[in-house]
Amino acid sequence: MLIQERIKKLKQEKKALILAHYYEEGEIQDIADFVGDSYQLSLHGQNSNHPIILMAGVIFMAESVKMLSPDKVVLAPDLNAGCSLVEASPYASYLKWRQDHPHAIAVTYINSSAQVKAISDVIVTSSNAQQIIEAIPPDRQILFGPDKNLGQYFKRTLNRDLLLWNGSCEVHVLFSAQKLYQLIQEYPQARVLAHPECEENVLQYAHTIGSTSRLLAEVKESPHTHFIVATETGIFHQMQKVRPDAVIRQAPTETETCGCNNCPYMKLNTLEKIEQALIHLSPRISVSPAVAEFAKRPLDRMIEITQGKSVSWPSHFQLPPF
Ligand code: CIZ
């Protein structure tokens, strides 16, 4: 039996739901019940009736699913699937930053640890950050972390004075603006699509800047047939599925042979590890209940604002008791 069929059988036996992020390998996306960005994946997990969720993505995504669905067993195929933004925002220094600005609202990218979420006021993804920043009263100071490029992008486009944390995504900073410029000269008919985690010198060439789901929608709906895409390569699988006629090129990185636009953490997941995780119902994601209680509040606030509800904001920072 093929591994794909064995996984399908295990999924049914164990009543498990497989969620996969757009940055996973195509073969993993193809065995998933749902493929999406981290916001869509968290909601899908929360709204499902399955007692077991296998999250093929990185650990902060699996933690978000677990915190929003605490009664479900959440499996991660490889516990080493970290994130450079999580590493760039250690709890102790993020907490100091928060304490240095006690009256600011802390807007934290979902690419962060559960502990950092727990000391934040609202979580954002690249698909809903604009809506969430716009929902914050204009007289409130905003801390935005841990991705400085994403923050810089919203600072410029929303004309809002965000204080930025100094972190970045190790994949998105490797695109080369100079080589992108050269590629555009070669293919002037191509539309350039870029993720806002890229640096500004790359974003300046983009016709469309947006989250994975936004860039995918652009490819699907655009009358153009040529695209140059500056984000992680996993998304190409869905882009090519929705537009088999389109030519989709990777934006170039400084070193051409490095495969630098593949996220090494996302790519730790394999079909074999997924099969093993379903057989043994392990590795499981756990978040300490004290941290989860506080981290769920900014996650809930994100969902409420994204769904068009109005929310209240704390007047100042209070250190959670964990
Ligand atoms: O929010 C996500 O899933 C990430 C990491 C990127 C995006 O733009 O969707």
Side-chain angles (χ1 to χ4, degrees):
M1 206 192 283
L2 286 175
I3 189 160
Q4 284 87 346
E5 290 164 18
R6 297 201 301 268
I7 290 175
K8 198 171 166 195
K9 195 160 165 277
L10 277 165
K11 233 170 39 172
Q12 284 160 354
E13 277 168 24
K14 311 261 174 163
K15 298 190 176 47
L17 177 78
I18 300 187
L19 302 177
H21 191 267
Y22 286 132
Y23 290 161
E24 290 298 312
E25 291 286 5
E27 62 181 13
I28 293 183
Q29 297 184 34
D30 288 345
I31 52 109
D33 297 295
F34 180 78
V35 183
D37 65 28
S38 50
Y39 178 72
Q40 297 165 331
L41 294 169
S42 304
L43 275 196
H44 204 86
Q46 194 177 34
N47 295 334
S48 89
N49 293 323
H50 296 73
I52 295 169
I53 298 176
L54 182 140
M55 178 67 225
V58 292
I59 298 305
F60 75 78
M61 296 175 181
E63 283 176 348
S64 299
V65 170
K66 177 71 185 169
M67 290 187 286
L68 290 170
S69 310
D71 298 334
K72 294 176 187 161
V73 170
V74 177
L75 305 173
D78 191 321
L79 290 180
N80 293 315
C83 170
S84 56
L85 283 161
V86 172
E87 279 168 31
S89 50
Y91 174 71
S93 30
Y94 214 85
L95 174 62
K96 171 152 190 335
W97 193 46
R98 270 247 65 179
Q99 287 174 323
D100 288 347
H101 304 278
H103 298 288
I105 291 180
V107 177
T108 299
Y109 195 27
I110 198 160
N111 301 39
S112 52
S113 68
Q115 272 195 316
V116 161
K117 286 186 177 76
I119 53 165
S120 302
D121 295 312
V122 67
I123 305 305
V124 296
T125 68
S126 30
S127 65
N128 57 23
Q130 172 170 345
Q131 190 183 353
I132 289 169
I133 294 168
E134 285 175 342
I136 298 173
D139 59 333
R140 297 294 301 270
Q141 187 178 42
I142 298 178
L143 302 180
F144 188 100
D147 191 308
K148 66 175 176 194
N149 291 318
L150 188 67
Q152 186 55 40
Y153 171 70
F154 288 116
K155 200 171 159 164
R156 179 167 56 79
T157 52
L158 303 180
N159 196 20
R160 192 85 196 243
D161 186 21
L162 313 178
L163 291 182
L164 305 181
W165 182 262
N166 188 18
S168 53
C169 163
E170 68 178 49
V171 175
H172 286 90
V173 293
L174 288 180
F175 293 106
S176 159
Q178 198 194 341
K179 290 196 171 164
L180 175 59
Y181 176 76
Q182 287 161 2
L183 195 64
I184 294 168
Q185 306 315 302
E186 232 179 290
Y187 301 102
Q189 77 280 33
R191 298 296 286 179
V192 180
L193 315 182
H195 194 280
E197 287 177 19
C198 295
E199 290 179 338
E200 284 208 318
N201 61 356
V202 167
L203 295 182
Q204 69 178 319
Y205 295 118
H207 299 100
T208 302
I209 299 172
S211 65
T212 48
S213 26
R214 169 80 185 82
L215 300 184
L216 179 59
E218 181 68 22
V219 169
K220 189 172 175 193
E221 287 150 22
S222 169
H224 294 84
T225 51
H226 282 68
F227 302 91
I228 298 172
V229 182
T231 192
E232 213 276 351
T233 54
I235 187 77
F236 290 31
H237 186 64
Q238 296 299 324
M239 288 178 170
Q240 215 63 84
K241 269 192 175 177
V242 295
R243 283 293 304 278
D245 63 310
V247 177
I248 300 171
R249 290 176 211 282
Q250 299 180 17
T253 48
E254 209 50 67
T255 319
E256 269 151 38
T257 51
C258 65
C260 306
N261 38 7
N262 282 311
C263 171
Y265 303 108
M266 290 280 179
K267 271 33 185 199
L268 283 176
N269 296 324
T270 60
L271 289 179
E272 288 72 21
K273 289 179 192 172
I274 290 173
E275 182 182 28
Q276 289 304 308
L278 287 173
I279 292 172
H280 301 291
L281 296 184
S282 164
R284 290 184 189 200
I285 293 293
S286 68
V287 180
S288 109
V291 171
E293 182 193 336
F294 285 88
K296 190 170 177 298
R297 294 177 191 182
L299 280 166
D300 285 341
R301 204 176 260 122
M302 164 179 80
I303 295 171
E304 283 161 24
I305 298 173
T306 310
Q307 292 177 341
K309 297 179 188 148
S310 61
V311 298
S312 59
W313 298 99
S315 61
H316 63 281
F317 175 57
Q318 271 184 307
L319 186 63
F322 57 76

